[in-house]
Amino acid sequence: MALLEILKYPDPRLEQVCPTEEQFDDSLRKLARDMIETMHHAPGIGLAAPQVGRHERLTVVDLSSGAEPDELFVLVNPVVLETHGEVREEEGCLSFPDLMLIVPRPERVVVEAQDLHGKPFRVKADELLARCIHHEIDHLDGILFLERVSPLKRDLARRKINKRIRADDW
Ligand code: NI
């Protein structure tokens, strides 16, 4: 296993749309293992392939950050089938160190995905798990959480980020 470098905003690779995964091979499985290790090490509760510079439709989510094997989800080609409700809560992103934003997300989601062998499965998620899965699927479409807030809040956040970049604190 290997720790991967997590790309930070405004790396343009974070804003690319990842194509559908068609090869369920050892290299995809190795990437998933490395991403899980990287996410746990960060520590974080979700990580998407473009955040480690890989243009693959793969994301990993683990609300327990490695404490509970049952809480680890590896989602290949995830698709949101249903959303219910909306909640505004604070969230972060490993590509935006120490930046928290209040982002509206569905309260519940039903997602269909494939495992690392191509087998389809469904996840019904609510609360934080729904938020996290929704955030990670956004990454696969090149959508960052900055885009989910109002233009005013986005500008404020961008200014804060630019200031931190200039101060070498990013
Ligand atoms: Ni993120």
Side-chain angles (χ1 to χ4, degrees), residues 51 93-94 135-136 139:
Q51 291 181 277
C93 178
L94 290 175
H135 174 120
E136 298 312 324
H139 274 299

Side-chain angles (χ1 to χ4, degrees), residues 54-87:
R54 295 285 296 266
H55 205 209
E56 314 268 356
R57 213 155 177 90
L58 163 68
T59 177
V60 296
V61 166
D62 183 359
L63 297 192
S64 80
S65 235
E68 299 286 340
D70 288 353
E71 292 194 25
L72 174 66
F73 292 90
V74 177
L75 307 171
V76 184
N77 296 330
V79 176
V80 178
L81 298 180
E82 292 175 35
T83 64
H84 302 274
E86 190 185 90
V87 210

Side-chain angles (χ1 to χ4, degrees), residues 15-155:
E15 299 190 60
Q16 289 181 351
V17 179
C18 300
T20 303
E21 214 59 63
E22 292 182 9
Q23 302 263 63
F24 296 83
D25 55 11
D26 285 346
S27 95
L28 188 70
R29 289 184 279 274
K30 181 183 188 313
L31 174 61
R33 284 198 301 276
D34 290 345
M35 283 171 56
I36 292 164
E37 192 186 5
T38 303
M39 167 178 68
H40 288 160
H41 182 263
I45 58 173
L47 186 66
Q51 291 181 277
V52 293
R54 295 285 296 266
H55 205 209
E56 314 268 356
R57 213 155 177 90
L58 163 68
T59 177
V60 296
V61 166
D62 183 359
L63 297 192
S64 80
S65 235
E68 299 286 340
D70 288 353
E71 292 194 25
L72 174 66
F73 292 90
V74 177
L75 307 171
V76 184
N77 296 330
V79 176
V80 178
L81 298 180
E82 292 175 35
T83 64
H84 302 274
E86 190 185 90
V87 210
R88 308 173 78 86
E89 292 274 1
E90 207 169 54
E91 63 180 54
C93 178
L94 290 175
S95 296
F96 292 78
D98 301 319
L99 182 80
M100 299 298 283
L101 291 173
I102 294 176
V103 181
R105 299 270 179 200
E107 193 177 359
R108 284 183 291 140
V109 293
V110 180
V111 169
E112 185 162 80
Q114 285 167 279
D115 70 12
L116 289 168
H117 297 275
K119 194 177 156 217
F121 64 98
R122 277 186 190 193
V123 187
K124 284 184 184 176
D126 60 9
E127 300 180 5
L128 183 58
L129 184 59
R131 171 166 299 274
C132 188
I133 290 176
H134 198 266
H135 174 120
E136 298 312 324
I137 294 176
D138 267 358
H139 274 299
L140 304 180
D141 291 321
I143 300 170
L144 299 172
F145 73 158
L146 270 187
E147 292 170 50
R148 294 272 184 197
V149 302
S150 70
L152 185 70
K153 284 189 182 155
R154 194 179 311 138
D155 280 354

